[in-house]
Amino acid sequence: MRNLDAWRALRAPFLTGLALGIVLLLLPLAALGGGEEEARSVPTLPASPTPAVQPTPTLTPGEWDGAQTLRLLGQDGQVAELTMADYLWGVVAAEMPAAFEPEALRAQAVCARTYSLWKLQAKSHQADGADICADSSCCQAYLSPQDAAQRWGESAAPGYQAKIAAAVADTDGQVLTYEGAPIQAVFFSSAAGATEDAQAVWGRALPYLVSVDSPEGEEVPNYRSTVTLTAEQVKKAAGEAGLDADLSGEPSAWFQNLTRTASGRVASVELGGISLSGGAARSLFALRSACFDVSEQDGVFTFSVTGYGHGVGMSQYGANAMAKAGSGWQDILAHYYTGAQLQTGL
């Protein structure tokens, strides 16, 4: 079993010769540059394309995830070594409702595996003696089997445990790639009819993270939400954020010139003469998404919000809706990650 210290220690399996019984040991593969529900912060997009990754030898289904290990930095600061299979189980359990359709859970497992490999290349936790962390604002959320069982309850836990294990095993080693490298397989909870282009959210275009239709709707819990803030609360939020906004006039004139992206999210809005991106406004006022309207009456602002998350990549509720309509996990991934290819292992 090899350790994925930022993905630079891959080792090919031993092959047994049928005729002579001679065991050949393959040399290690060339080393690789190592390394959203929605507390995940905006991921940092690479300044240049991710370097090409050399493929591993073909493995029998079920072998790949179990043959990899990684070091997980837990929320308690402790580092634990896990197989990729066990780690992915915990990520899927934490990131997607276990009651979702099996095909949606399989799609989530592939996203989690791919995103893990993308993060490993950054070596962002090397100083911690780890490869990846369990903080969703940095990497991906993770639940231990014990914590997951407690969340689900005694009666539901056995079925959910098996369901997630199957989702991981059934997609063993499957990675989303673009030009031979793992993609930034970001995901989020729910969209208001369409996902968002990475360019609109993070300022850098990626060919596989473009806006596509997403089929979820009113069946999503809290699909529509509201946030109400007094004028004083808006002033306080702007001040704490260091915004030099002119909020001396009537509150009805504070928000101006709201523009939208093609997907319907707020592209920009002016607050007291200061231009904010939709994402910045979402963070500033603790909104569930950047798809919102804002109105004012008697000094009270009402933000009417649709969906949940940054909007880029796979919508989890959209994936579940597609699965309910008969789409397989491969179709779901092909829909949300334009032009990405599935590859077994890297």
Side-chain angles (χ1 to χ4, degrees), residues 9-326:
L10 291 176
R11 185 183 61 189
F14 289 109
L15 301 178
T16 305
L18 296 176
L20 301 178
I22 298 174
V23 178
L24 299 178
L25 180 62
L26 298 179
L27 293 173
L29 294 175
L32 306 179
E36 129 196 268
E37 76 166 17
E38 173 90 17
R40 181 176 293 103
S41 64
V42 174
T44 301
L45 295 175
S48 58
T50 307
V53 179
Q54 300 298 318
T56 58
T58 301
L59 299 175
T60 302
E63 289 184 356
W64 198 88
D65 289 337
Q68 320 301 318
T69 63
L70 54 74
R71 298 166 299 166
L72 174 66
L73 177 64
Q75 297 278 28
D76 59 1
Q78 300 298 307
V79 176
E81 186 172 289
L82 301 172
T83 66
M84 179 66 82
D86 289 341
Y87 169 67
L88 292 178
W89 188 98
V91 172
V92 176
E95 293 281 10
M96 178 174 274
F100 272 20
E101 296 293 313
E103 293 301 297
L105 290 165
R106 291 183 179 101
Q108 181 69 61
V110 177
C111 290
R113 183 183 297 108
T114 304
Y115 191 77
S116 299
L117 302 187
W118 187 87
K119 287 291 292 186
L120 285 171
Q121 295 180 21
K123 294 186 178 180
S124 56
H125 290 289
Q126 190 172 41
D128 302 311
D131 300 309
I132 202 164
C133 77
D135 183 354
S136 62
S137 67
C138 177
C139 297
Q140 298 180 114
Y142 171 87
L143 274 179
S144 69
Q146 295 79 12
D147 289 342
Q150 186 174 10
R151 172 186 289 187
W152 295 327
E154 185 177 349
S155 61
Y160 286 162
Q161 288 167 344
K163 192 176 179 183
I164 292 175
V168 174
D170 292 347
T171 62
D172 179 73
Q174 293 296 300
V175 179
L176 285 162
T177 65
Y178 191 85
E179 296 182 346
I183 70 169
Q184 188 179 2
V186 291
F187 49 89
F188 64 100
S189 181
S190 61
T195 68
E196 187 58 279
D197 195 304
Q199 174 75 52
V201 177
W202 299 316
R204 182 172 184 271
L206 287 173
Y208 51 81
L209 292 179
V210 296
S211 179
V212 298
D213 293 341
S214 197
E216 71 271 37
E218 301 298 335
E219 80 280 3
V220 178
N222 299 311
Y223 186 60
R224 301 187 191 278
S225 59
T226 59
V227 171
T228 58
L229 297 172
T230 65
E232 286 305 313
Q233 288 173 317
V234 170
K235 277 186 178 180
K236 181 180 178 181
E240 291 178 346
L243 298 179
D244 189 21
D246 180 5
L247 303 179
S248 60
E250 288 297 318
S252 59
W254 289 3
F255 287 94
Q256 297 287 335
N257 301 323
L258 187 150
T259 65
R260 298 189 183 276
T261 67
S263 74
R265 292 170 177 81
V266 172
S268 66
V269 62
E270 290 182 7
L271 172 61
I274 301 299
S275 181
L276 301 174
S277 69
R282 177 197 172 200
S283 297
L284 184 63
F285 302 118
L287 310 179
R288 286 170 63 87
S289 85
C291 185
F292 65 86
D293 292 301
V294 58
S295 61
E296 182 273 340
Q297 185 174 358
D298 299 327
V300 176
F301 295 92
T302 299
F303 297 85
S304 301
V305 187
T306 306
Y308 187 15
H310 52 62
V312 182
M314 186 182 77
S315 164
Q316 294 172 313
Y317 275 93
N320 199 47
M322 288 184 67
K324 284 182 177 180

